[in-house]
Amino acid sequence: MNESITVLNWNLEKGINLEAGARWVQEQRPDIFFQQEVQPDQLARVSELLDMDGHIAVPRPGSSNDNAIFVRRDGPLVCTEEYPQAWAPWHAPANIAVRLRDADGGTLSPRQISAVSMHTCYWSPEHRLTESRWCTTLAKPGWLAMIFGDWNSYRVGTDIRWDDYTDHAFVANRTHEYDGRRHTDVRPDRELLAAGYVEMARHAAEHLDQPEALAPSSGYRDHPGRPKGPRYCIDRGYLSAELAPALTSFTVCDSPELRRLSDHLPLRAEFDFAQMRTILHRPAAMYQPHDNRHAASAHGHHPAAAGGTA
């Protein structure tokens, strides 16, 4: 009987240290793994190394760093649908629907979770705002979502002394102009919170007595023109508020080996299986299009729920 569900997220820098990174992930035995910067020819190899089923985003012109989601084959979560998101201005998000497998091993939960792996645009605050606004389409009443990503932006309330940076291109990338001044880009976080999402690290710090959940997740490479050392968390995970009671822990995994393997640290979230089962079996009132060809079960999602095409 499952007692918990393990979720990992990791931007494994351009897939360079793929074998060693995959070995570490496999040792954690995640039930679902969200990855950023997967290279075009790596999906099959990562799936093999992890013994997980991989789902990669639609490739977009301009960059080969794709998003992917991997689901454990014998785990409690089952991928039931996959959604291409070719609208994206830069990296397309990987987007699948997962349902919970009951203890009998066969019955699936009537409700599903829209799982999304994101890597928002590093050079355009306007693209990042568009990408985060797309995520809000999965926050409709009764829908459930779990979104992890490298947001290339900051939490609301983050105070950064940009005068300490002589890398002015980086400052331009990570700020936006308003009223004649440059402002730290916190708009993706603000959009997601406004849509009703719960940021997992904040929730763990404020409600689970885990302040270390707010530790920095990036900055593990030295760049000319930027202050040295990790300072901020640009890798974050968001949940529909209805799922938050199932979260039992959130960790920014850190070790010298992990810092060597990537410029980002992995994120690990644990969920109580029984709580998750209760939520995914709970009836929910939600809008359903009046089209018998696409009718969903009384307690389930319309297929558009994970695709955001309502």
Side-chain angles (χ1 to χ4, degrees):
M1 175 66 180
N2 295 296
E3 294 183 358
S4 65
I5 296 170
T6 300
V7 181
L8 287 182
N9 178 82
W10 198 5
N11 180 339
L12 188 56
E13 186 180 13
K14 301 187 187 303
I16 295 170
N17 294 307
L18 177 67
E19 302 275 333
R23 279 197 299 272
W24 182 87
V25 172
Q26 198 275 336
E27 290 168 0
Q28 312 307 306
R29 289 285 291 166
D31 297 303
I32 185 168
F33 171 45
F34 298 71
Q35 186 180 350
Q36 296 83 47
E37 299 199 7
V38 180
Q39 302 306 295
D41 60 346
Q42 291 183 340
L43 183 69
R45 182 59 178 149
V46 177
S47 297
E48 178 186 11
L49 289 167
L50 300 180
D51 193 25
M52 301 176 80
D53 291 325
H55 307 272
I56 199 161
V58 175
R60 301 288 297 143
S63 177
S64 60
N65 296 330
D66 291 322
N67 300 300
I69 303 174
F70 299 85
V71 181
R72 185 153 66 88
R73 290 173 184 147
D74 60 347
L77 298 174
V78 178
C79 174
T80 53
E81 296 190 64
E82 186 169 3
Y83 302 90
Q85 300 295 349
W87 58 268
W90 198 49
H91 295 317
N95 180 200
I96 65 175
V98 295
R99 295 178 188 261
L100 188 66
R101 195 197 316 264
D102 269 359
D104 62 16
T107 306
L108 299 183
S109 62
R111 297 177 72 185
Q112 67 186 30
I113 298 173
S114 301
V116 179
S117 178
M118 298 284 293
H119 189 181
T120 66
C121 186
Y122 80 88
W123 50 265
S124 171
E126 298 309 316
H127 281 352
R128 289 194 294 269
L129 189 57
T130 296
E131 290 161 330
S132 61
R133 282 176 172 164
W134 172 78
C135 292
T136 70
T137 68
L138 307 181
K140 298 181 186 300
W143 292 9
L144 300 172
M146 181 182 297
I147 305 169
F148 276 94
D150 173 354
W151 298 91
N152 281 314
S153 56
Y154 307 93
R155 291 187 178 105
V156 170
T158 300
D159 183 21
I160 299 178
R161 293 176 53 88
W162 293 110
D163 290 345
D164 294 341
Y165 291 72
T166 58
D167 182 349
H168 298 299
F170 182 77
V171 174
N173 296 158
R174 292 294 179 87
T175 63
H176 64 95
E177 186 173 2
Y178 173 71
D179 198 24
R181 293 179 52 237
R182 304 299 301 185
H183 297 264
T184 300
D185 188 18
V186 300
R187 293 186 300 177
D189 185 49
R190 181 175 285 122
E191 288 294 306
L192 293 165
L193 298 179
Y197 287 116
V198 171
E199 198 232 318
M200 296 182 215
R202 277 194 191 95
H203 181 84
E206 296 172 2
H207 301 286
L208 302 177
D209 193 27
Q210 297 173 10
E212 66 280 3
L214 296 170
S217 67
S218 63
Y220 298 95
R221 299 288 186 273
D222 290 335
H223 295 273
R226 306 182 203 174
K228 293 183 182 298
R231 293 181 172 221
Y232 307 108
C233 188
I234 64 172
D235 306 275
R236 298 186 296 277
Y238 295 85
L239 281 173
S240 299
E242 193 176 353
L243 292 171
L247 182 68
T248 59
S249 70
F250 190 89
T251 307
V252 180
C253 304
D254 194 358
S255 72
E257 174 70 0
L258 292 173
R259 293 189 183 198
R260 182 185 70 79
L261 292 177
S262 181
D263 56 343
H264 295 254
L265 293 177
L267 309 179
R268 180 187 179 107
E270 295 283 342
F271 294 87
D272 181 80
F273 180 89
Q275 278 267 40
M276 190 70 84
R277 185 188 185 282
T278 296
I279 295 165
L280 291 174
H281 283 260
R282 180 185 298 152
M286 64 188 76
Y287 171 76
Q288 299 286 2
H290 296 290
D291 185 344
N292 291 332
R293 294 173 300 169
H294 302 290
S297 65
H299 304 310
H301 278 51
H302 185 271
T309 55

